[in-house]
Amino acid sequence: MTIRRFSAAVFAATLLTPGLAACNNSGSGEAGASASPGSVAPGSASPGTSEAKQALLNSTNEIRNGNFRFTMTGVGSTAEGQVHEPSQSAQIKVSIGDASSDLMMNLDVVHAKPDSWVKLDLGGRSASSIPGAQKLNLGKYQHLDQTRIKGNKSLGFDFDKVDPAGSAVLTQGIIEVRQTGEGSYAGTLDVSKAAEAGSVDPTVITALGAQAQSVPFTAKLDAQGRLSEMVVQIPAAGQSAAQDIKITYSDYGNAAAAQKPTADQVVEAPQEFYNLFN
């Protein structure tokens, strides 16, 4: 098994990196292979696409205010957390695999500008083969040297781009969409235009080839027209099985500031830790 990238901030890439996904059950996510009944067939006419797309573009505006909770799921992995831009803080918890997997990773990432801490737990049959695993201070929050992660999306958090899922970028890639009910939408999007979103690993986009230009999705808006759920239905490609990437948002304007770990919970991150994430 090769760990090609382990991303705490752009954690969707973590969730969907084929090298990590291969450590989990290959059958997970198969149900997402086909478009839902409300999806728009590629190339077909779609009455109201312009109005529906604008509604979805507008639905991401509140995300930019940086005060919300979110979840993401895909390939047997989950991520959840909160962003609280008013206090320049965020917390993200990522779980990949389970006790039956070759590799299980749990991350608890706390950002409180100008500091960052990461608590890492490892398990599974391959955990002991990770280089330097015995020096990773598992169970403690590892304080990160900001000079060593400057510009590193794997360990940092950009408070100028507060949405880890990049839903605004995803919605800009919409090709066709129609409203299927009150606050509900379905259509297709071009994920090849959304590599910067963070929700789909660029290696998966490359493996999809032409399929990347017409990927089914569904979306739901809350009563205020804000995005509450988006499900992107990625077909099988390369090493990756078919999968649903599900993103949810809640508690707009009501997220809490992230809590810094106490001093007795913190150690300085060793070199082996940075090696793992680079």
Side-chain angles (χ1 to χ4, degrees), residues 37-233:
S39 298
V40 179
S44 65
S46 181
T49 286
S50 178
E51 294 82 357
K53 181 175 181 178
Q54 190 59 53
L56 289 176
L57 291 172
N58 293 343
S59 75
T60 66
N61 289 342
E62 185 64 24
I63 296 173
R64 287 193 286 272
N65 289 330
N67 193 333
F68 57 85
R69 294 190 60 81
F70 63 90
T71 68
M72 290 186 63
T73 59
V75 198
S77 303
T78 63
E80 63 178 349
Q82 71 231 37
V83 177
H84 193 254
E85 203 280 337
S87 64
Q88 294 279 277
S89 68
Q91 184 168 16
I92 302 168
K93 294 183 179 182
V94 180
S95 177
I96 299 177
D98 55 33
S100 65
S101 304
D102 284 342
L103 178 64
M104 176 182 70
M105 289 187 177
N106 293 317
L107 275 178
D108 185 359
V109 188
V110 178
H111 300 284
K113 204 170 183 180
D115 290 299
S116 300
W117 303 263
V118 182
K119 184 165 89 169
L120 171 66
D121 291 317
L122 296 173
R125 295 180 293 273
S126 300
S128 60
S129 66
I130 293 177
Q134 71 278 10
K135 298 181 180 180
L136 292 177
N137 294 306
L138 304 182
K140 289 278 190 177
Y141 282 91
Q142 312 204 42
H143 181 255
L144 301 178
D145 181 345
Q146 297 296 309
T147 65
R148 300 179 71 177
I149 64 171
K150 187 175 182 179
N152 185 338
K153 291 182 179 180
S154 295
L155 292 173
F157 189 90
D158 188 349
F159 282 97
D160 292 324
K161 299 178 181 178
V162 294
D163 181 12
S167 292
V169 178
L170 283 176
T171 55
Q172 289 167 11
I174 290 173
I175 303 302
E176 295 178 293
V177 62
R178 64 185 178 89
Q179 187 167 359
T180 58
E182 185 64 32
S184 299
Y185 299 83
T188 58
L189 57 83
D190 184 349
V191 296
S192 68
K193 297 179 179 178
E196 294 303 313
S199 301
V200 185
D201 187 351
T203 62
V204 174
I205 294 174
T206 299
L208 284 171
Q211 292 183 93
Q213 299 173 17
S214 184
V215 174
F217 80 95
T218 60
K220 295 180 181 179
L221 311 187
D222 66 14
Q224 287 73 47
R226 303 170 298 196
L227 185 65
S228 60
E229 177 186 292
M230 175 175 277
V231 180
V232 183
Q233 300 165 341

Side-chain angles (χ1 to χ4, degrees), residues 15-34 74-76 200 203-205 207-208 211 215 232-245:
L15 297 175
L16 305 176
T17 297
L20 287 175
C23 297
N24 302 323
N25 295 329
S26 61
S28 65
E30 294 287 352
S34 60
V75 198
V200 185
T203 62
V204 174
I205 294 174
L208 284 171
Q211 292 183 93
V215 174
V232 183
Q233 300 165 341
I234 304 292
Q239 301 177 52
S240 300
Q243 60 195 265
D244 282 359
I245 303 170

Side-chain angles (χ1 to χ4, degrees), residues 4-18:
R4 286 191 273 174
R5 175 174 58 183
F6 200 78
S7 169
V10 189
F11 58 82
T14 300
L15 297 175
L16 305 176
T17 297

